[in-house]
Amino acid sequence: DYIMGNSLVDMYARCGYLAEAEYGFYKLSEQDIISYSALIAGYAELGLCDEALNSLGSMRSDGIIPDEITFVSILKACGSVQDIDSGLQIHAEIIKEEFERDIFIGNKLVDFYAKCGMLDKARQVFQSLSVRDIVAWSALQSGYYEYGFDEETLNCLEQMQLEGVSPDVVIYVCSLKACG
């Protein structure tokens, strides 16, 4: 029952059926990190930052400590609506919980700061990553392109190739647009 309930919450949330996900969530005999994270990820996917943050608060009230998956979803939600203040608070918590070395969190921090136009901070986090994969490069480059820094956009392509990371379609598209 417990595993099935969490699976249903996750499935409905991933499919964007948040009313059904919430219904399933509240019908669970006990909510845990899995059910909360699934619900928060669903909110984040649809850009519902307030709902994601409220669920995070409820999660904490229930004595459940967020994990890396939860923080990635919350950062996604904050970035989608450019909620800088909440994102900065989440980043401080990530540091406090010593999750900043997690590659998924690092990539999402770069993405969050880039989406919010805080490109110096995005670059700072990017440079602190132990592994700079295509996801990190794409997040940084997209931020540069989005905010009109064409030279930096093209520099990302050149630098990533020097570091041995193969560009993907997103990288090439941003680069071509920057050339235009």
Side-chain angles (χ1 to χ4, degrees):
D1 183 45
Y2 163 77
I3 294 172
M4 180 63 79
N6 277 342
S7 296
L8 285 172
V9 171
D10 184 55
M11 179 199 68
Y12 282 128
R14 285 177 190 260
C15 293
Y17 296 111
L18 291 180
E20 291 83 354
E22 290 169 345
Y23 178 79
F25 177 84
Y26 291 112
K27 288 300 238 178
L28 291 171
S29 58
E30 181 180 333
Q31 291 84 17
D32 63 5
I33 186 76
I34 296 167
S35 51
Y36 269 110
S37 292
L39 193 60
I40 290 169
Y43 290 138
E45 195 61 39
L46 295 177
L48 302 172
C49 186
D50 289 340
E51 290 83 347
L53 290 168
N54 288 338
S55 290
L56 179 64
S58 297
M59 180 179 177
R60 288 187 177 122
S61 294
D62 287 349
I64 301 169
I65 299 168
D67 65 4
E68 295 93 329
I69 295 167
T70 312
F71 282 126
V72 166
S73 294
I74 290 291
L75 285 170
K76 180 176 184 169
C78 292
S80 70
V81 296
Q82 298 180 340
D83 184 343
I84 295 170
D85 293 335
S86 295
L88 290 171
Q89 289 175 349
I90 296 301
H91 190 178
E93 288 181 50
I94 287 167
I95 292 169
K96 180 182 169 205
E97 297 295 329
E98 299 180 356
F99 288 143
E100 70 268 33
R101 296 231 182 266
D102 180 272
I103 186 68
F104 299 108
I105 288 179
N107 286 346
K108 194 47 73 177
L109 281 166
V110 173
D111 183 63
F112 163 74
Y113 285 119
K115 283 183 175 165
C116 292
M118 300 176 70
L119 299 172
D120 287 340
K121 188 69 175 167
R123 183 68 166 187
Q124 179 186 1
V125 171
F126 175 82
Q127 290 176 331
S128 75
L129 297 175
S130 59
V131 175
R132 291 191 282 260
D133 63 9
I134 191 68
V135 176
W137 280 106
S138 183
L140 184 64
Q141 189 200 43
S142 295
Y144 282 137
Y145 173 73
E146 187 67 33
Y147 287 92
F149 293 94
D150 294 336
E151 188 173 327
E152 286 84 352
T153 301
L154 296 172
N155 285 342
C156 280
L157 173 62
E158 182 180 342
Q159 189 60 42
M160 73 182 291
Q161 288 174 320
L162 289 173
E163 291 188 19
V165 178
S166 297
D168 65 1
V169 172
V170 174
I171 296 289
Y172 282 128
V173 168
C174 279
S175 298
L176 288 171
K177 287 181 177 179
C179 288

